[in-house]
Amino acid sequence: MKKLSSIFIIFLLISCQVNEEVREQVGAMGDEAMVVSAHPIATKAGLEILRKGGNVFDAAVTTHFMLAVVYPRAGNIGGGGFAVIRTNDGETACLDFREKAPLRASEKMYQDQNGEVIPQKSQLGHYAVGVPGSVAGIWELHQKYGTKDWGLLVQPAIDVAFDGFAITADEAATLNEKQGDFIAANHYRPWVINDDGWKAGDLVIQKQLAATLSFIRDSGKDGFYKGIVADQIAKEMLRGGGLISEQDLESYEAKWRTPVTGSYKGHKVISMSPPSSGGVALIQMLQGAEMHSLGDHPHNSIPAVHLMAEIERLVFADRARHLGDPDFADIPVATLISTDYNTIRFSNINPSKATASQEVFAGEVELVESMETTHYSIVDPFGNAIAITTTLNGNYGSKVVVEGAGFFLNNEMDDFSSKPGAPDMFGSITGKNNAIAPQKRMVSSMTPTIVEKDGALKMVVGTPGGPTIITSVFQTIINVIDHDMSMQDAVTAKKTHHQWQPDRILVEEGALTTSQMDELKDMGHNIEMRDKIGRTDCILVTNDGRLEGGADYTRGDDYAEGF
Ligand code: DON
């Protein structure tokens, strides 16, 4: 009897452990609303707006400006981004608030007299900055769909900027890593420079940013693009040899675009259209996946990783050649997402051998900037959904902090093709459709995406990560639809990535075993390790109609909460 009961206790302990594991793999749950973002303070601020009866657009205003305060490396007012939305009556739309090249920009501005690309010129300092789009974008979203008072929605960010907040260990480490760049890019000492080094728990007070946000609170878009803040930006540009003028700022406008849509195994996929390459590439990849029954192979098995790499290679080659700003070049979107085109495009994939990426463009990059853009997903009690990906491009963008205004400016100009064949900071190559021209928008990989099933909302997905954005969103969708993962598992699952050039599969630590990687090498693949791929923050409508938030807390400080 004694023996039996101890066996029973052991069984109980084991089953508790198993349950514990299972429970950990399900994200935050909500019955009506959910916010998932890169920082708990931003998630909670957005959720508070929903609790007070605001909709996703109201919550996005608060979350966005809060991220600009508490997540300075990527949350921003000096950058740009894209929003994909779905209202509760099934209307879908997308908003482009991507940065633009300044009026004084020119095609060869990052080349020397011999036509060589000048290292770092499009990445560090004033000359790398594109005309910011974020404030215009968030303002436009609110103008069209917001229900709560704009000023009340901006105020929480002002309060945190003014009173201060404690930085996380991750933020401290990233700030410390970039000290040299902050010193190089600024002619004065902005708050980010700290000779003693940053540590977790340090209080960051940003009074200048609070003042800038209060201009935005009081005057909306004009509080940024006109008046004192515009003047501060223009002066900062003059001091540091940047190109953005007051005219650039005043003429900036966010643009509504038609989302690209596709299907995957009975689901409708709604994603960002050009100038982002994300939606087109995602839809192409999903078509390749369906055609080759990718989802029938176990997650991260050799056939799955091989097939994904082959599909991604072909799609990124298309991206390099065709994608650009649709206001400046004809982008063959309809063809690229058509089944006729993709059936032929993916027809020659060899299941047992890697194809060598064609040597159309030469060039490899040594440095891959760490993964910092940011994505947030929100669903409200009315059934509206929004996916927003926003960025300064690299960590803390150009590293320039506008003097007196306290915010970082982007280094998005690096996303243009500085010269045909020259890779950007992510090693990614684009062609003449993405050459620099005044007022043009640079190609992006950002892929805010909404998935529907049977005409109802199913998933809200997105991530940072440069080109790995597209492949991380691709894998996250497949993880849920084919591998039946919870939202949290799909987010946490280890990722791989191929982008045609450089010709290698990036493998996240822990995604594959050594013998799997050896086998892939035998098939002709090159393998390179990365400590992290993607940082997806997503929402799933579960089969019983609840909301599961998957926050990428294993790769960052990301946090989901619902009610
Ligand atoms: O628009 C793009 O594709 C890039 N500027 C995104 C940069 C990014 O995701 C940085 N890191 N995670």
Side-chain angles (χ1 to χ4, degrees), residues 82 98 319 370-373 391-394 412 415 426 443-446 463-467 469:
F82 300 103
R98 182 69 160 164
R319 175 192 188 272
S370 61
M371 304 288 172
E372 300 311 338
T373 287
T391 189
L392 291 165
N393 198 20
E412 219 71 61
D415 276 349
F426 303 103
V443 161
S444 171
S445 296
M446 289 189 275
T463 181
I469 290 174

PDB file of all heavy atoms in Angstrom, residues 82 98 319 370-373 391-394 412 415 426 443-446 463-467 469, ligand 1:
ATOM      1  N   PHE A  82       4.538  50.459 -41.030  1.00  0.00           N
ATOM      2  CA  PHE A  82       3.361  50.038 -41.795  1.00  0.00           C
ATOM      3  C   PHE A  82       2.314  49.468 -40.844  1.00  0.00           C
ATOM      4  O   PHE A  82       2.667  48.786 -39.883  1.00  0.00           O
ATOM      5  CB  PHE A  82       3.724  48.944 -42.791  1.00  0.00           C
ATOM      6  CG  PHE A  82       4.767  49.342 -43.798  1.00  0.00           C
ATOM      7  CD1 PHE A  82       6.079  48.915 -43.671  1.00  0.00           C
ATOM      8  CD2 PHE A  82       4.439  50.138 -44.889  1.00  0.00           C
ATOM      9  CE1 PHE A  82       7.043  49.271 -44.599  1.00  0.00           C
ATOM     10  CE2 PHE A  82       5.392  50.508 -45.821  1.00  0.00           C
ATOM     11  CZ  PHE A  82       6.706  50.073 -45.673  1.00  0.00           C
ATOM     12  N   ARG A  98       6.082  54.809 -44.222  1.00  0.00           N
ATOM     13  CA  ARG A  98       7.499  54.570 -44.449  1.00  0.00           C
ATOM     14  C   ARG A  98       8.232  55.906 -44.613  1.00  0.00           C
ATOM     15  O   ARG A  98       7.666  56.864 -45.153  1.00  0.00           O
ATOM     16  CB  ARG A  98       7.630  53.761 -45.738  1.00  0.00           C
ATOM     17  CG  ARG A  98       9.035  53.360 -46.136  1.00  0.00           C
ATOM     18  CD  ARG A  98       9.604  52.357 -45.204  1.00  0.00           C
ATOM     19  NE  ARG A  98      10.723  51.628 -45.781  1.00  0.00           N
ATOM     20  CZ  ARG A  98      11.576  50.919 -45.053  1.00  0.00           C
ATOM     21  NH1 ARG A  98      11.430  50.838 -43.739  1.00  0.00           N
ATOM     22  NH2 ARG A  98      12.557  50.253 -45.616  1.00  0.00           N
ATOM     23  N   ARG A 319      12.447  39.418 -55.107  1.00  0.00           N
ATOM     24  CA  ARG A 319      12.384  40.661 -54.326  1.00  0.00           C
ATOM     25  C   ARG A 319      13.484  41.626 -54.770  1.00  0.00           C
ATOM     26  O   ARG A 319      13.256  42.815 -54.992  1.00  0.00           O
ATOM     27  CB  ARG A 319      12.555  40.319 -52.834  1.00  0.00           C
ATOM     28  CG  ARG A 319      12.634  41.508 -51.906  1.00  0.00           C
ATOM     29  CD  ARG A 319      13.095  41.041 -50.527  1.00  0.00           C
ATOM     30  NE  ARG A 319      13.014  42.087 -49.519  1.00  0.00           N
ATOM     31  CZ  ARG A 319      13.974  42.951 -49.265  1.00  0.00           C
ATOM     32  NH1 ARG A 319      15.098  42.950 -49.965  1.00  0.00           N
ATOM     33  NH2 ARG A 319      13.811  43.857 -48.309  1.00  0.00           N
ATOM     34  N   SER A 370      22.124  43.810 -35.277  1.00  0.00           N
ATOM     35  CA  SER A 370      21.217  43.010 -34.454  1.00  0.00           C
ATOM     36  C   SER A 370      19.759  43.320 -34.795  1.00  0.00           C
ATOM     37  O   SER A 370      19.461  44.320 -35.418  1.00  0.00           O
ATOM     38  CB  SER A 370      21.480  43.277 -32.979  1.00  0.00           C
ATOM     39  OG  SER A 370      21.256  44.633 -32.718  1.00  0.00           O
ATOM     40  N   MET A 371      18.902  42.452 -34.331  1.00  0.00           N
ATOM     41  CA  MET A 371      17.517  42.419 -34.817  1.00  0.00           C
ATOM     42  C   MET A 371      16.636  43.453 -34.133  1.00  0.00           C
ATOM     43  O   MET A 371      15.993  43.149 -33.152  1.00  0.00           O
ATOM     44  CB  MET A 371      16.935  41.033 -34.540  1.00  0.00           C
ATOM     45  CG  MET A 371      17.738  39.916 -35.136  1.00  0.00           C
ATOM     46  SD  MET A 371      17.521  39.930 -36.905  1.00  0.00           S
ATOM     47  CE  MET A 371      18.737  38.722 -37.373  1.00  0.00           C
ATOM     48  N   GLU A 372      16.608  44.653 -34.606  1.00  0.00           N
ATOM     49  CA  GLU A 372      15.786  45.632 -33.905  1.00  0.00           C
ATOM     50  C   GLU A 372      14.948  46.529 -34.787  1.00  0.00           C
ATOM     51  O   GLU A 372      15.429  47.464 -35.405  1.00  0.00           O
ATOM     52  CB  GLU A 372      16.655  46.484 -32.974  1.00  0.00           C
ATOM     53  CG  GLU A 372      17.372  45.679 -31.919  1.00  0.00           C
ATOM     54  CD  GLU A 372      16.512  44.705 -31.157  1.00  0.00           C
ATOM     55  OE1 GLU A 372      15.278  44.868 -31.088  1.00  0.00           O
ATOM     56  OE2 GLU A 372      17.066  43.732 -30.634  1.00  0.00           O
ATOM     57  N   THR A 373      13.743  46.214 -34.833  1.00  0.00           N
ATOM     58  CA  THR A 373      12.609  46.988 -35.322  1.00  0.00           C
ATOM     59  C   THR A 373      11.605  46.640 -34.256  1.00  0.00           C
ATOM     60  O   THR A 373      11.973  45.978 -33.277  1.00  0.00           O
ATOM     61  CB  THR A 373      12.215  46.464 -36.720  1.00  0.00           C
ATOM     62  OG1 THR A 373      13.199  46.897 -37.630  1.00  0.00           O
ATOM     63  CG2 THR A 373      10.854  46.897 -37.203  1.00  0.00           C
ATOM     64  N   THR A 391       9.951  51.009 -37.262  1.00  0.00           N
ATOM     65  CA  THR A 391      11.401  50.838 -37.139  1.00  0.00           C
ATOM     66  C   THR A 391      12.166  52.137 -37.262  1.00  0.00           C
ATOM     67  O   THR A 391      11.698  53.103 -37.850  1.00  0.00           O
ATOM     68  CB  THR A 391      11.899  49.865 -38.243  1.00  0.00           C
ATOM     69  OG1 THR A 391      13.255  49.546 -38.007  1.00  0.00           O
ATOM     70  CG2 THR A 391      11.763  50.454 -39.627  1.00  0.00           C
ATOM     71  N   LEU A 392      13.377  52.096 -36.678  1.00  0.00           N
ATOM     72  CA  LEU A 392      14.393  53.115 -36.951  1.00  0.00           C
ATOM     73  C   LEU A 392      15.439  52.512 -37.889  1.00  0.00           C
ATOM     74  O   LEU A 392      16.445  53.121 -38.172  1.00  0.00           O
ATOM     75  CB  LEU A 392      15.067  53.540 -35.647  1.00  0.00           C
ATOM     76  CG  LEU A 392      14.222  54.342 -34.644  1.00  0.00           C
ATOM     77  CD1 LEU A 392      14.894  54.374 -33.276  1.00  0.00           C
ATOM     78  CD2 LEU A 392      14.008  55.765 -35.149  1.00  0.00           C
ATOM     79  N   ASN A 393      15.235  51.290 -38.308  1.00  0.00           N
ATOM     80  CA  ASN A 393      16.122  50.417 -39.065  1.00  0.00           C
ATOM     81  C   ASN A 393      17.108  49.749 -38.117  1.00  0.00           C
ATOM     82  O   ASN A 393      16.764  48.776 -37.484  1.00  0.00           O
ATOM     83  CB  ASN A 393      16.830  51.150 -40.208  1.00  0.00           C
ATOM     84  CG  ASN A 393      17.385  50.152 -41.216  1.00  0.00           C
ATOM     85  OD1 ASN A 393      16.943  49.002 -41.256  1.00  0.00           O
ATOM     86  ND2 ASN A 393      18.346  50.551 -42.026  1.00  0.00           N
ATOM     87  N   GLY A 394      18.342  50.223 -37.988  1.00  0.00           N
ATOM     88  CA  GLY A 394      19.269  49.593 -37.038  1.00  0.00           C
ATOM     89  C   GLY A 394      18.883  49.949 -35.611  1.00  0.00           C
ATOM     90  O   GLY A 394      18.000  50.780 -35.379  1.00  0.00           O
ATOM     91  N   GLU A 412      17.173  54.789 -42.146  1.00  0.00           N
ATOM     92  CA  GLU A 412      16.424  53.994 -43.121  1.00  0.00           C
ATOM     93  C   GLU A 412      16.969  54.132 -44.540  1.00  0.00           C
ATOM     94  O   GLU A 412      16.675  53.299 -45.398  1.00  0.00           O
ATOM     95  CB  GLU A 412      14.955  54.430 -43.087  1.00  0.00           C
ATOM     96  CG  GLU A 412      13.971  53.298 -43.236  1.00  0.00           C
ATOM     97  CD  GLU A 412      13.921  52.406 -42.015  1.00  0.00           C
ATOM     98  OE1 GLU A 412      13.579  52.898 -40.920  1.00  0.00           O
ATOM     99  OE2 GLU A 412      14.212  51.213 -42.150  1.00  0.00           O
ATOM    100  N   ASP A 415      18.220  51.192 -46.472  1.00  0.00           N
ATOM    101  CA  ASP A 415      17.355  50.198 -47.129  1.00  0.00           C
ATOM    102  C   ASP A 415      17.221  50.434 -48.633  1.00  0.00           C
ATOM    103  O   ASP A 415      16.682  49.594 -49.351  1.00  0.00           O
ATOM    104  CB  ASP A 415      15.961  50.187 -46.491  1.00  0.00           C
ATOM    105  CG  ASP A 415      15.909  49.303 -45.249  1.00  0.00           C
ATOM    106  OD1 ASP A 415      16.868  48.558 -45.007  1.00  0.00           O
ATOM    107  OD2 ASP A 415      14.897  49.360 -44.524  1.00  0.00           O
ATOM    108  N   PHE A 426      21.809  44.287 -43.863  1.00  0.00           N
ATOM    109  CA  PHE A 426      21.327  42.922 -43.620  1.00  0.00           C
ATOM    110  C   PHE A 426      21.841  41.954 -44.679  1.00  0.00           C
ATOM    111  O   PHE A 426      21.405  40.824 -44.754  1.00  0.00           O
ATOM    112  CB  PHE A 426      19.799  42.901 -43.589  1.00  0.00           C
ATOM    113  CG  PHE A 426      19.241  43.843 -42.563  1.00  0.00           C
ATOM    114  CD1 PHE A 426      18.698  45.056 -42.942  1.00  0.00           C
ATOM    115  CD2 PHE A 426      19.292  43.529 -41.221  1.00  0.00           C
ATOM    116  CE1 PHE A 426      18.206  45.940 -41.999  1.00  0.00           C
ATOM    117  CE2 PHE A 426      18.798  44.405 -40.265  1.00  0.00           C
ATOM    118  CZ  PHE A 426      18.264  45.611 -40.648  1.00  0.00           C
ATOM    119  N   VAL A 443      12.626  50.234 -50.126  1.00  0.00           N
ATOM    120  CA  VAL A 443      11.992  48.918 -49.948  1.00  0.00           C
ATOM    121  C   VAL A 443      12.153  48.453 -48.503  1.00  0.00           C
ATOM    122  O   VAL A 443      13.164  48.715 -47.862  1.00  0.00           O
ATOM    123  CB  VAL A 443      12.632  47.883 -50.906  1.00  0.00           C
ATOM    124  CG1 VAL A 443      12.359  46.460 -50.453  1.00  0.00           C
ATOM    125  CG2 VAL A 443      12.086  48.072 -52.297  1.00  0.00           C
ATOM    126  N   SER A 444      11.150  47.771 -48.034  1.00  0.00           N
ATOM    127  CA  SER A 444      11.171  47.247 -46.670  1.00  0.00           C
ATOM    128  C   SER A 444      10.859  45.753 -46.688  1.00  0.00           C
ATOM    129  O   SER A 444      10.301  45.234 -47.656  1.00  0.00           O
ATOM    130  CB  SER A 444      10.095  47.970 -45.863  1.00  0.00           C
ATOM    131  OG  SER A 444       9.942  47.367 -44.598  1.00  0.00           O
ATOM    132  N   SER A 445      11.224  45.095 -45.601  1.00  0.00           N
ATOM    133  CA  SER A 445      10.810  43.693 -45.417  1.00  0.00           C
ATOM    134  C   SER A 445       9.677  43.579 -44.403  1.00  0.00           C
ATOM    135  O   SER A 445       9.227  42.471 -44.095  1.00  0.00           O
ATOM    136  CB  SER A 445      11.985  42.863 -44.885  1.00  0.00           C
ATOM    137  OG  SER A 445      13.003  42.825 -45.823  1.00  0.00           O
ATOM    138  N   MET A 446       9.259  44.703 -43.857  1.00  0.00           N
ATOM    139  CA  MET A 446       8.276  44.623 -42.761  1.00  0.00           C
ATOM    140  C   MET A 446       6.967  43.987 -43.244  1.00  0.00           C
ATOM    141  O   MET A 446       6.466  44.327 -44.308  1.00  0.00           O
ATOM    142  CB  MET A 446       8.057  46.002 -42.167  1.00  0.00           C
ATOM    143  CG  MET A 446       9.281  46.463 -41.384  1.00  0.00           C
ATOM    144  SD  MET A 446       9.025  47.965 -40.444  1.00  0.00           S
ATOM    145  CE  MET A 446       9.353  49.207 -41.669  1.00  0.00           C
ATOM    146  N   THR A 463       6.840  40.879 -36.854  1.00  0.00           N
ATOM    147  CA  THR A 463       8.110  40.779 -36.128  1.00  0.00           C
ATOM    148  C   THR A 463       9.112  41.784 -36.670  1.00  0.00           C
ATOM    149  O   THR A 463       8.968  42.239 -37.806  1.00  0.00           O
ATOM    150  CB  THR A 463       8.703  39.357 -36.307  1.00  0.00           C
ATOM    151  OG1 THR A 463       9.939  39.260 -35.577  1.00  0.00           O
ATOM    152  CG2 THR A 463       9.004  39.028 -37.748  1.00  0.00           C
ATOM    153  N   PRO A 464      10.152  42.113 -35.899  1.00  0.00           N
ATOM    154  CA  PRO A 464      11.328  42.769 -36.468  1.00  0.00           C
ATOM    155  C   PRO A 464      12.267  41.744 -37.102  1.00  0.00           C
ATOM    156  O   PRO A 464      11.969  40.550 -37.067  1.00  0.00           O
ATOM    157  CB  PRO A 464      11.990  43.391 -35.234  1.00  0.00           C
ATOM    158  CG  PRO A 464      11.585  42.536 -34.097  1.00  0.00           C
ATOM    159  CD  PRO A 464      10.223  42.000 -34.440  1.00  0.00           C
ATOM    160  N   GLY A 465      13.397  42.214 -37.627  1.00  0.00           N
ATOM    161  CA  GLY A 465      14.428  41.277 -38.064  1.00  0.00           C
ATOM    162  C   GLY A 465      14.938  41.462 -39.478  1.00  0.00           C
ATOM    163  O   GLY A 465      15.477  40.516 -40.047  1.00  0.00           O
ATOM    164  N   GLY A 466      14.779  42.654 -40.078  1.00  0.00           N
ATOM    165  CA  GLY A 466      15.269  42.838 -41.447  1.00  0.00           C
ATOM    166  C   GLY A 466      14.643  41.796 -42.353  1.00  0.00           C
ATOM    167  O   GLY A 466      13.458  41.480 -42.218  1.00  0.00           O
ATOM    168  N   PRO A 467      15.432  41.222 -43.253  1.00  0.00           N
ATOM    169  CA  PRO A 467      14.856  40.215 -44.167  1.00  0.00           C
ATOM    170  C   PRO A 467      14.277  38.998 -43.440  1.00  0.00           C
ATOM    171  O   PRO A 467      13.382  38.330 -43.961  1.00  0.00           O
ATOM    172  CB  PRO A 467      16.042  39.788 -45.036  1.00  0.00           C
ATOM    173  CG  PRO A 467      17.116  40.768 -44.775  1.00  0.00           C
ATOM    174  CD  PRO A 467      16.841  41.496 -43.517  1.00  0.00           C
ATOM    175  N   ILE A 469      12.340  39.052 -41.170  1.00  0.00           N
ATOM    176  CA  ILE A 469      10.939  39.343 -40.849  1.00  0.00           C
ATOM    177  C   ILE A 469      10.038  38.445 -41.703  1.00  0.00           C
ATOM    178  O   ILE A 469       9.111  37.797 -41.190  1.00  0.00           O
ATOM    179  CB  ILE A 469      10.599  40.820 -41.155  1.00  0.00           C
ATOM    180  CG1 ILE A 469      11.304  41.762 -40.170  1.00  0.00           C
ATOM    181  CG2 ILE A 469       9.082  41.045 -41.138  1.00  0.00           C
ATOM    182  CD1 ILE A 469      11.141  43.247 -40.493  1.00  0.00           C
TER     183      ILE A 469
HETATM  184  O1  DON B   1      12.253  47.986 -43.383  1.00  0.00           O
HETATM  185  C1  DON B   1      13.029  47.063 -43.226  1.00  0.00           C
HETATM  186  O2  DON B   1      12.930  46.005 -43.780  1.00  0.00           O
HETATM  187  C2  DON B   1      14.159  47.238 -42.248  1.00  0.00           C
HETATM  188  N1  DON B   1      14.450  48.623 -42.077  1.00  0.00           N
HETATM  189  C3  DON B   1      13.775  46.580 -40.979  1.00  0.00           C
HETATM  190  C4  DON B   1      14.879  46.629 -39.996  1.00  0.00           C
HETATM  191  C5  DON B   1      14.737  45.665 -38.934  1.00  0.00           C
HETATM  192  O3  DON B   1      13.845  44.878 -38.876  1.00  0.00           O
HETATM  193  C6  DON B   1      15.822  45.762 -37.968  1.00  0.00           C
HETATM  194  N2  DON B   1      15.859  44.716 -37.095  1.00  0.00           N
HETATM  195  N3  DON B   1      15.330  43.966 -36.639  1.00  0.00           N
END
